Amino acid sequence: MHLTNSWIAEDTKRLSVQLSNYIEPINTLDIHKEARRFGFSFESPSQFPLSWMSKQQKLELSEQQLTLYPNAIVRKGIYRGLWVNGALLLLGLLLIATGRFTKNKQSVVDNERSGLSKRHSTALSAQEIILPVSTGQQVNMFAMFKWRCELPKHIEPQSHFSVTLAKCFNKYRYCSAKYLSSGALAVTLSSMNKEEVEQTIKRLHEVVYQALLAFRGDLSRSAVKCGACFYSEGADQTQVYQIARSSLSVAQNHVWQHIHMLPLNRTLAESLLDAESNVIDDIKAGRFVLFFQPLFDFKTQDVIQSEALLRVRHKTLGLITAGQFIHKIHRSEHLIELDKAIVQQALKVLSKEPKGFTVSVNLHVVNWSSSEFLSWLIAILKESGRAKDVTLELMICDYYQHRSYFEQFFDALSPLGASIVLDHVNGPLDIVPLQKVNNIVGIKLAFELIHDIQSSAKRRAVVKQIVNQAKKLHVPVYAVGVETQDELNCIKRLGVDGAQGYYFSAPLLELENSLN
């Protein structure tokens, strides 16, 4: 109504101006003609709601006073618009009601089958994986697989693995396979005896391996990694997923261990619920150690840098990696404490090493944006006198997203001699902004770009392009996660300057540490 009345008021003024241009007296016919040209009528609409919406407007002309309304065509358009909008509103309400009914119906089905909790829907939705809850003395198993090879384009992974696993594990009450967009395969098996869990996971790994071997005859078992969790009735499905994902991470970071499995028992469940506070308590108490992954330079045939990797001695979970708990830490003050502990320990190790021994440290992106942490970092680097031997690693995607901010901080580090390495590089570089930064001393290629690179022409082309761009920047390129001779030979041919990975050395425990 407000919009309609505003339009009438504005056009009434325009009509008044138009009529005022007449010098001679205006007869009634001319006034009506001019009013219609502006979309007005002298007749009041009788239908509701037009009579309510079409407020009359007064127009004084010489000694005459006119009352104007929207004309018939305008009223007809408004009337039809109201009907169309009303119909669309009713249709929308009907669809919402139908959707809620369908959603409630699906929710009942999901509850009966014990689908995944909504709390980890950001990682996997309930429609992607369903983890049934077992009864009696039996347990269920949830496993996640990752492999280092590409599937043929003509193969539909979801159908292929679903059919294969259904044939091989048809004795179980429930067998589900879901191929995720991340390239992982999630498998759920229900109702098995605890005694057969170990044998079942080994058979499951073999079945997945054989299914992949059909496409890649040269595939080794070590290229297929599996993380699993077995659990009983009443298990928290979010915790089941977290344990399986952590187990997969452990298997991926191990040369010989291809399967890693953990049970979800009461002790472990309680530990996961309190993971953040427990880990920070361990850090404060000094119950952690740094391992160092050497980075080898192909030209000098020597170690030029060592990347610091955190391991925490958890009272119930044992020695755990940062990848297993970092996603459980949400408070910024805890992330600051974590990175402060790593930097301080790295500087302590450096103080016992000759100058020229360089350590690289990965800082959490939250801390990069903390003025409190960065002020502390600059101060402690100055105090140590070893800032030139410290390299800070930053994910290149974070640099691109907050480029102007990071460049200011890089400038603040430059006088100290501390350098920067951009890691997780998985695509061509944006050269123009990088040319303005003077203390970037290296580019680290992403793990997924290097694994089995000799079998992927597409990834080889990407690496070659990155190498050529880095040469223009006069910055070396390093590979991460090199495990085989074939990978090493391939990256050397592509012009990569150095590498780190299990092919050269597993992470090395520092010789001296401050563990309690």
Side-chain angles (χ1 to χ4, degrees), residues 106 110 113-117 120-132 142-144 158 162 174-188 241:
Q106 181 64 39
D110 288 343
R113 299 173 69 180
S114 298
L116 281 176
S117 169
H120 70 282
S121 61
T122 54
L124 299 171
S125 70
Q127 294 178 350
E128 288 180 320
I129 303 176
I130 298 177
L131 302 178
F142 176 60
M144 297 185 73
Q158 178 63 57
S162 294
Y174 181 82
C175 175
S176 168
K178 178 66 180 179
Y179 185 76
L180 310 177
S181 58
S182 62
L185 177 68
V187 179
T188 303
Y241 173 77

Side-chain angles (χ1 to χ4, degrees), residues 43 143 194 348 359 456:
E43 298 176 3
K194 291 183 179 179
K348 186 172 183 179
V359 170
S456 173

Side-chain angles (χ1 to χ4, degrees), residues 117 119-120 131 231-242 264 269 273:
S117 169
R119 280 177 291 175
H120 70 282
L131 302 178
Y231 56 101
S232 56
E233 184 176 2
D236 186 304
Q237 303 300 291
T238 303
Q239 292 179 356
V240 170
Y241 173 77
Q242 290 173 347
L264 178 56
L273 287 174

Side-chain angles (χ1 to χ4, degrees), residues 279-300:
V279 166
I280 296 303
D281 288 343
D282 290 333
I283 292 292
K284 289 179 179 177
R287 291 188 290 269
F288 69 93
V289 65
L290 293 186
F291 281 67
F292 290 92
Q293 179 82 62
L295 175 64
F296 289 85
D297 182 78
F298 296 151
K299 186 176 181 180
T300 63

Side-chain angles (χ1 to χ4, degrees), residues 164-334:
T164 301
L165 293 171
K167 288 180 180 178
C168 297
F169 296 93
N170 55 13
K171 76 171 188 175
Y172 297 105
R173 179 173 62 86
Y174 181 82
C175 175
S176 168
K178 178 66 180 179
Y179 185 76
L180 310 177
S181 58
S182 62
L185 177 68
V187 179
T188 303
L189 296 175
S190 69
S191 301
M192 66 182 70
N193 295 323
K194 291 183 179 179
E195 293 77 15
E196 62 177 315
V197 166
E198 185 175 353
Q199 195 61 33
T200 301
I201 192 61
K202 289 180 179 178
R203 182 168 176 246
L204 185 59
H205 181 272
E206 182 65 20
V207 169
V208 173
Y209 166 68
Q210 292 294 337
L212 293 167
L213 194 64
F215 311 129
R216 290 290 305 276
D218 60 339
L219 188 68
S220 65
R221 283 178 175 80
S222 63
V224 182
K225 300 293 187 178
C226 172
C229 172
F230 63 91
Y231 56 101
S232 56
E233 184 176 2
D236 186 304
Q237 303 300 291
T238 303
Q239 292 179 356
V240 170
Y241 173 77
Q242 290 173 347
I243 293 172
R245 188 175 64 175
S246 297
S247 297
L248 177 60
S249 177
V250 172
Q252 286 180 304
N253 290 310
H254 203 286
V255 180
W256 306 113
Q257 183 182 358
H258 314 319
I259 302 170
H260 189 80
M261 181 169 60
L262 287 171
L264 178 56
N265 51 36
R266 183 176 179 180
T267 302
L268 184 56
E270 291 174 351
S271 298
L272 286 172
L273 287 174
D274 300 325
E276 180 166 11
S277 58
N278 287 343
V279 166
I280 296 303
D281 288 343
D282 290 333
I283 292 292
K284 289 179 179 177
R287 291 188 290 269
F288 69 93
V289 65
L290 293 186
F291 281 67
F292 290 92
Q293 179 82 62
L295 175 64
F296 289 85
D297 182 78
F298 296 151
K299 186 176 181 180
T300 63
Q301 294 292 303
D302 198 3
V303 177
I304 58 172
Q305 189 181 97
S306 293
E307 181 179 351
L309 304 172
L310 178 68
R311 300 289 186 270
V312 175
R313 292 191 181 278
H314 196 277
K315 59 184 178 182
T316 55
L317 304 180
L319 197 64
I320 58 177
T321 66
Q324 291 177 271
F325 64 79
I326 196 67
H327 61 280
K328 297 289 292 181
I329 298 181
H330 305 293
R331 295 172 61 181
S332 58
E333 60 268 29
H334 287 169

